[in-house]
Amino acid sequence: MNDSSVAANGIGMTSQRTRDRLITRLQEQGVRNFEVLEAIRSVPRHLFVDEALAHRAYEDTALPIGHNQTISQPFIVARMTELLVEGGPLERVLEIGTGSGYQTAILARFAKEVYSLERIKALQEKARKRLRDLRIHNVILRYADGSVGLEEMAPFDGILAAAAPAEVPPELLQQLAIGGRLVIPIGEQDQKLYRITRTEEGFQREFIEHVRFVPFRSGLR
Ligand code: SAH
């Protein structure tokens, strides 16, 4: 999309220049993976928030999406995607917390199939429409509590949690393939992002950085 077609849509602030500025910022913050940066550049984040917030979509910040939830900050989406992608090829990926569907759309570019679980029906329905409008077809959305993962589709090469539980749900570890990676924020006040890789011998846990996510909750809404 060029600047004039964007202006024709009445949302000039979503222009290529605004997006390029975001990419520069992500690079300055240490995102190195070229394909991840390209994915962030080309997925239209302004379509994943309400129109009233579209002008802020290319700021590097989380934004409200209703129901006390947020669309994740672009930096964290880029970082988590990079952490999953670095570890090897991704055939089947599980995401917990579809939310707006933005991270899902990014993951869809790197995996053959993305299963994404969401416990708030209204958010899931909006996400489904957006992904359909963008013709992203390798994504399967499920209205489900992600605390127990998705046993029937396991094992996964990658699992990404977009909400923070107090402890790692053991089911998610069990649903990783050998070599598979779980990227997950853990904790309540003081949250830490981890990448946990399943090896032949067990699990290898790497601390990545301090983060701030919405809480992981059980049950459906
Ligand atoms: N990546 C999403 C983040 C949304 S916020 C985005 O960028 O839009 C996290 C989401 O996780 C919320 O929509 C919340 O409802 C969902 N969530 C929290 N706990 C969950 C659980 N146990 N199972 C499924 N979804 C959950």
Side-chain angles (χ1 to χ4, degrees):
M1 199 163 21
N2 59 36
D3 277 14
S4 58
S5 71
V6 172
N9 284 333
I11 37 174
M13 48 291 210
T14 59
S15 70
Q16 201 53 53
R17 197 149 25 89
T18 319
R19 295 190 195 192
D20 289 346
R21 215 177 295 136
L22 172 62
I23 301 307
T24 306
R25 189 184 149 94
L26 299 183
Q27 285 175 311
E28 284 164 3
Q29 286 180 278
V31 179
R32 294 272 169 269
N33 187 296
F34 178 74
E35 276 141 31
V36 171
L37 291 166
E38 272 313 297
I40 301 273
R41 194 199 301 276
S42 57
V43 174
R45 190 167 183 258
H46 66 281
L47 301 181
F48 290 84
V49 293
D50 284 345
E51 231 172 291
L53 285 173
H55 67 288
R56 300 192 56 197
Y58 298 96
E59 290 175 19
D60 188 25
T61 176
L63 294 169
I65 54 172
H67 309 269
N68 279 324
Q69 306 302 324
T70 54
I71 181 171
S72 307
Q73 181 192 358
F75 171 71
I76 209 73
V77 171
R79 190 78 190 97
M80 290 174 92
T81 306
E82 194 171 58
L83 288 165
L84 275 189
V85 169
E86 272 173 0
L90 294 169
E91 294 269 317
R92 189 173 282 187
V93 168
L94 175 66
E95 177 187 35
I96 321 274
T98 314
S100 67
Y102 177 66
Q103 170 84 70
T104 324
I106 300 280
L107 286 173
R109 300 170 70 103
F110 295 93
K112 203 170 260 175
E113 295 182 309
V114 180
Y115 289 83
S116 183
L117 313 181
E118 174 55 59
R119 63 180 286 275
I120 301 178
K121 189 75 185 169
L123 289 178
Q124 192 211 25
E125 283 170 356
K126 280 195 182 178
R128 188 185 298 288
K129 178 170 188 318
R130 293 179 182 123
L131 294 166
R132 194 190 300 133
D133 290 349
L134 290 170
R135 299 196 169 77
I136 297 173
H137 298 304
N138 58 331
V139 161
I140 298 105
L141 301 185
R142 293 269 182 95
Y143 175 53
D145 175 358
S147 342
V148 293
L150 189 61
E151 177 66 44
E152 69 264 36
M153 292 301 157
F156 298 97
D157 305 302
I159 303 182
L160 185 154
E167 303 287 344
V168 182
E171 287 85 351
L172 299 186
L173 294 175
Q174 292 318 317
Q175 292 171 24
L176 283 175
I178 303 292
R181 294 77 76 191
L182 167 62
V183 177
I184 188 167
I186 297 293
E188 280 154 10
Q189 297 310 320
D190 172 37
Q191 297 178 0
K192 294 175 179 158
L193 184 66
Y194 290 97
R195 174 168 60 185
I196 303 171
T197 304
R198 184 170 201 167
T199 65
E200 299 278 359
E201 295 79 36
F203 297 92
Q204 182 206 335
R205 185 195 277 237
E206 298 159 78
F207 165 70
I208 308 295
E209 61 194 281
H210 290 271
V211 286
R212 185 104 211 104
F213 277 83
V214 297
F216 194 100
R217 300 215 186 280
S218 51
L220 294 177
R221 249 182 60 193

